Amino acid sequence: MSLRVFILAGEPSGDRLGGALMAGLKQLSPGVQFDGIGGTLMAEQGLVSRFPMDELSVMGLAEVLPKYRHLKRRIRETAEAVIETKPDVLITIDSPDFSLRVARLVKDRSKIRTVHYVAPSVWAWRPKRAGKMAEVIDHVLALLPFEPPYMEAAGMDCDFVGHPVVSEPQATDAEIQAFRSEFGLGDAPFVLALPGSRRSEVSRLAPDFGGALEQFCAKHPDYRIVIPAAAPVAGLVQDALKDWPAGTVMVDPNRYTPDRAKAHKRAAFASASLALAASGTVSLELAAARTPMVIAYKFQWLTWQIMKRMALIDTVTLVNLVSDTRVVPECLGPDCTPENISARLEESAGNPSAQREAMELTMQRLGQGGEEPGLRAARAVLDRLPGR
């Protein structure tokens, strides 16, 4: 009898993980049957989503509250579908507010095996989340190599399966030359500016990023500035540029086909001399391109006060954490000022080799050169299934 998998994702990053995992399961377990919720990449692997995934792609209290009743209904409907269809395994991908609530309802009424893809960052803050998760999750698929001990200590099986960034394509020389030509960059060095993908991030960070880059470029007039804007905030970024140095180049992905926009982003990351980026997984994308960086982030005052008191780590940058170094400079909270950021850019431009060594180590530890993360994840799911 073929393997039956109920799989659900709630946002585009989860859809990417889910699509790769499904492809791996099809390779290792021919005839596998899928049910659940996902996006276009999971649909390409054969999933017929029970409802559109974008119904779940909401973030923040203000966004969630108007949809709270609808989300609760979707949680209940999804759990009922899992219990009714009795799959061999339920795989939930990230989106813990949705995923773990579904898993709890399923576990309350069945013994269906539950797997969660992407470990919560209990190593950073709120370590008790692992214990709560262990009440409803049997097995965790971790993206980072230091995460399994935290999950296992809470009572769950856990396998490090590699981070998807290691299998993403890098820009070719032809793509880089075409990008530089199209945007009039010639052979000029440039700073890549990445002020975030959410409106709140761009609003908070754009003034400080612009001020820092103006100071940096005053000392380095040969440098240009390039912003490959995230599609949802491209208009907001464009509005912010009136206060940025003249000649800043913004790449608006909304003006191009998806494939062309991805090629532009790859080329921008690969050919930049230096990057200034908001905190997040973008640091791993820059590391994959071996682009030295400065990470900067400004929080709401109350959020910063809470984080300072609850944080268990001394750096938020994944390159620093995975490589066990602290070579990527950070300007966080009250330190996120144009003067501080400009000084850190100066330091990074003067000594890029230290960061590149840490990036190389980071990519190795995340699984670069080994089996594809989606296939590793599929193998881990199958190896832990009872009776297989």
Side-chain angles (χ1 to χ4, degrees):
M1 187 174 178
S2 60
L3 178 70
R4 291 172 299 124
V5 175
F6 200 105
I7 186 167
L8 61 94
E11 54 191 334
S13 59
D15 183 46
R16 287 194 294 274
L17 291 172
L21 171 57
M22 290 171 67
L25 287 169
K26 287 164 67 176
Q27 181 176 333
L28 298 176
S29 183
V32 59
Q33 298 174 24
F34 297 110
D35 194 353
I37 299 109
T40 54
L41 297 177
M42 293 166 71
E44 288 175 6
Q45 297 300 325
L47 180 70
V48 178
S49 187
R50 285 180 170 256
F51 56 83
M53 185 189 73
D54 58 16
E55 290 187 22
L56 307 177
S57 299
V58 291
M59 292 189 63
L61 190 61
E63 290 83 0
V64 170
L65 278 177
K67 300 181 179 180
Y68 179 69
R69 288 187 178 179
H70 179 70
L71 288 171
K72 279 196 72 173
R73 185 169 68 251
R74 286 304 198 194
I75 289 168
R76 188 173 60 252
E77 288 174 358
T78 304
E80 290 286 350
V82 177
I83 293 164
E84 180 183 338
T85 56
K86 298 183 177 66
D88 297 297
V89 61
L90 164 64
I91 302 175
T92 57
I93 306 173
D94 212 358
S95 303
D97 289 338
F98 181 79
S99 294
L100 300 185
R101 282 175 169 83
V102 171
R104 184 169 295 279
L105 291 176
V106 169
K107 279 297 190 185
D108 283 346
R109 293 173 49 194
S110 76
K111 294 184 178 180
I112 293 169
R113 183 167 178 80
T114 52
V115 176
H116 190 67
Y117 198 172
V118 183
S121 51
V122 297
W123 38 268
W125 69 304
R126 288 175 57 200
K128 292 183 179 178
R129 284 179 294 167
K132 284 280 188 186
M133 189 169 160
E135 296 172 3
V136 299
I137 295 296
D138 300 307
H139 180 196
V140 178
L141 305 174
L143 303 185
L144 303 174
F146 53 78
E147 291 177 322
Y150 294 93
M151 303 295 104
E152 290 164 351
M156 294 172 281
D157 295 331
C158 186
D159 293 293
F160 165 61
V161 297
H163 197 287
V165 72
V166 302
S167 58
E168 291 174 359
Q170 296 300 307
T172 64
D173 290 341
E175 285 177 332
I176 290 171
Q177 289 304 316
F179 174 79
R180 282 185 167 276
S181 175
E182 181 174 349
F183 292 97
L185 295 167
D187 295 325
F190 66 85
V191 182
L192 196 65
L194 301 158
S197 58
R198 301 185 188 116
R199 296 186 67 83
S200 58
E201 289 176 330
V202 173
S203 297
R204 282 200 301 272
L205 296 176
D208 292 315
F209 275 35
L213 291 166
E214 188 162 10
Q215 292 181 29
F216 179 80
C217 290
K219 296 179 181 179
H220 303 275
D222 55 328
Y223 268 77
R224 302 286 300 277
I225 300 166
V226 175
I227 309 178
V233 295
L236 189 60
V237 170
Q238 185 68 62
D239 291 342
L241 293 188
K242 65 181 184 297
D243 299 319
W244 283 45
T248 296
V249 174
M250 191 190 97
V251 183
D252 182 352
N254 297 305
R255 296 178 54 194
Y256 304 96
T257 64
D259 286 346
R260 187 90 177 277
K262 288 176 185 175
H264 282 154
K265 181 180 176 181
R266 286 196 300 269
F269 274 55
S271 56
S273 303
L274 190 61
L276 170 58
S279 175
T281 54
V282 69
S283 71
L284 295 181
E285 295 181 76
L286 291 166
R290 307 302 192 266
T291 302
M293 71 193 87
V294 172
I295 298 298
Y297 206 83
K298 183 175 281 186
F299 304 85
Q300 298 280 9
W301 182 86
L302 181 59
T303 301
W304 175 248
Q305 297 304 315
I306 292 170
M307 285 186 63
K308 277 199 308 181
R309 287 160 175 77
M310 296 182 67
L312 304 175
I313 51 177
D314 64 348
T315 177
V316 301
T317 303
L318 287 170
V319 173
N320 287 341
L321 288 164
V322 175
S323 66
D324 198 23
T325 67
R326 297 297 182 265
V327 295
V328 176
E330 298 174 334
C331 299
L332 306 176
D335 291 332
C336 183
T337 66
E339 294 73 23
N340 287 337
I341 295 169
S342 178
R344 301 293 86 75
L345 286 169
E346 194 78 30
E347 293 169 6
S348 298
N351 183 25
S353 59
Q355 284 200 39
R356 290 196 173 112
E357 289 176 11
M359 292 171 184
E360 192 75 36
L361 181 58
T362 296
M363 291 298 107
Q364 289 174 11
R365 289 181 173 175
L366 292 180
Q368 194 168 62
E371 196 171 57
E372 292 283 311
L375 188 59
R376 288 179 65 173
R379 196 181 307 282
V381 169
L382 295 174
D383 285 350
R384 299 269 192 179
L385 276 180
R388 292 187 68 89

